[in-house]
Amino acid sequence: MREKDNDENVLEFEIINKILNGTKEEIEEEMENIHPVDLLEELEQYEGNPNDILKKLPDYYVASLIGEMEDEDKYKMLSSFSQQREENIISEMASDDLADMLGEVDEDVKEKIISKMDHEQAEEVRSLLGYEEDTAGGLMAKEFIAIKEEMTIEESVEYLREKAPDSETPYYIYVLDNKGILKGVVSLRDIIVAERNTKIRDIMNENVLCVPVDMDQEEVGRLFEKYGYMVIPVVDEHHVMCGIITFDDIIDVLNEETTEDIYLLGGLSEGETIDSSPFYAIRSRLPWLMINLVTAAMAASVVGAFEGTISKIVALATFMPIVTGMGGNAGTQTLTLIVRGIALDELNEKNTKQVLIKELIVGIVNGICLGIVVGIAAKLWVGKAVFGFIIGLAMVLNLIVAASAGYFVPVILKKLNIDPALASGVFVTTFTDVMGFFFFLGLATLFVEKLV
């Protein structure tokens, strides 16, 4: 294992040394075999000055490096270059990467960067900045290839030779009319095999999946997952083509949305990472812990209402956490399933009743199974069969509550236009704790004479 690590280190420094010591031609040739993400990882581990490496890289490659970085780090790298190189790199950057970067800087810096663009690029970036960040318009890039439906194959090939190098996806060619309205799509394969005089309108596919500029990014992500496309065009309300969204961009969105849901379920801010400062972590987590403190007080108040019963039957205090704990676990299982179903649009009006019935059946059966096990254990522990019956019945009732809460809480939050991942866990845990204590201690109070 150590020899393998050493080999990797040698390889890392070999690449960096080639960049530091190579000629311009050698470096450009070397960069063709190194993905920007791999070089970014190596730069993070490099102990020397990264600018010594960056200044020797071609402008187009630096633009690719910046495009792969986190949005908040893009400008930091760009600003490390001279004014002239900044302009050159900006001219090589994709419009969506520029828009993402400008969304993280101050207004004066934003205008300064835009002033270094040519007129066409500046207009494209300004238009992208006009869309909401979490919509299709905020994700799309302007670099796409479009041809006219009346063009011939020969004319299209000549046009592609000129435009394809600047396109995000040269393997998809979109067909527009004179007003820019999306009419269809044609593949490179179809263009290659068709006769030179064939009109594009005769070979194009008119059945094109497209999304409106204001579609939420989560919905766009679901379309990519459903159809497996590499790219989807974006249109305005008049069906005029505005840009494209590529698979690599939507992958980042899906990762962000998944992370956000996981963090919200755990009561964390989506901005927190393992490298966050203690102060940021405290500020992120403490509000949720305060809310949990309030709900815990509600559960404690239920226990307080049955102090008299607990004082007579001390064994109740031993078994209380079992009922509430199992209820919380079961509720979290249902909650996780329902939140995921809502996020992926798998839970809809057609199957809501079926899913609810299934979860209730699961809750009842699991409650009976767990109730029998814990009931037998309680009987053996306390020596009274009625005690086992009480905790077994309380377990069944609480798992039914858990299934119901795990289903209804996220569904109701969704109807209220609140993210189901936000606060669902707090509400479900509150229900199972409060009702678990109430069922167990309430039943014990009813049968207190047989337990004493």
Side-chain angles (χ1 to χ4, degrees), residues 145-163 173-178 186 191 194-204:
I145 301 179
I147 55 179
K148 304 297 183 182
E149 56 185 336
E150 67 271 9
M151 292 173 67
T152 64
I153 295 297
E154 186 174 12
E155 292 170 336
S156 300
V157 170
E158 289 299 319
Y159 182 78
L160 291 176
R161 285 174 180 160
E162 177 186 353
K163 296 294 184 182
I173 299 96
Y174 297 96
V175 184
L176 312 180
D177 66 8
N178 292 326
V186 62
I191 289 179
E195 295 294 333
R196 292 192 306 170
N197 295 325
T198 303
K199 295 286 187 181
I200 291 296
R201 70 165 66 94
D202 297 329
I203 64 170
M204 71 180 185

Side-chain angles (χ1 to χ4, degrees), residues 319-332 395 398-399 402 429 432-433 436-437:
F319 285 88
M320 282 193 306
I322 297 177
V323 178
T324 56
M326 294 307 300
N329 291 336
T332 299
M395 183 72 74
N398 202 30
L399 261 69
T429 303
T432 55
D433 285 353
F437 287 136

Side-chain angles (χ1 to χ4, degrees), residues 330-384:
T332 299
Q333 289 177 334
T334 301
L335 173 65
T336 303
L337 183 71
I338 300 303
V339 168
R340 180 182 182 277
I342 292 174
L344 299 180
D345 207 24
E346 294 175 349
L347 187 68
N348 50 57
E349 294 181 358
K350 296 180 180 179
N351 64 2
T352 50
K353 186 176 180 181
Q354 178 183 350
V355 173
L356 174 59
I357 292 173
K358 184 206 78 172
E359 290 303 316
L360 288 175
I361 292 174
V362 171
I364 293 171
V365 173
N366 285 343
I368 291 173
C369 294
L370 293 171
I372 291 173
V373 173
V374 74
I376 293 173
K379 192 270 179 187
L380 295 175
W381 184 283
V382 179
K384 292 181 181 290

Side-chain angles (χ1 to χ4, degrees), residues 176-224:
L176 312 180
D177 66 8
N178 292 326
K179 295 181 179 179
I181 294 176
L182 179 62
K183 307 298 289 186
V185 65
V186 62
S187 68
L188 278 177
R189 182 190 63 182
D190 293 335
I191 289 179
I192 291 171
V193 301
E195 295 294 333
R196 292 192 306 170
N197 295 325
T198 303
K199 295 286 187 181
I200 291 296
R201 70 165 66 94
D202 297 329
I203 64 170
M204 71 180 185
N205 180 6
E206 298 181 17
N207 184 25
V208 185
L209 174 69
C210 56
V211 297
V213 290
D214 57 353
M215 177 178 280
D216 185 85
Q217 61 183 14
E218 284 192 75
E219 295 181 49
V220 176
R222 284 196 286 268
L223 289 177
F224 271 93

Side-chain angles (χ1 to χ4, degrees), residues 49-65:
N49 185 354
N51 289 335
D52 294 338
I53 299 172
L54 294 174
K55 69 182 181 182
K56 302 200 70 175
L57 298 176
D59 294 334
Y60 77 88
Y61 195 87
V62 176
S64 299
L65 279 178

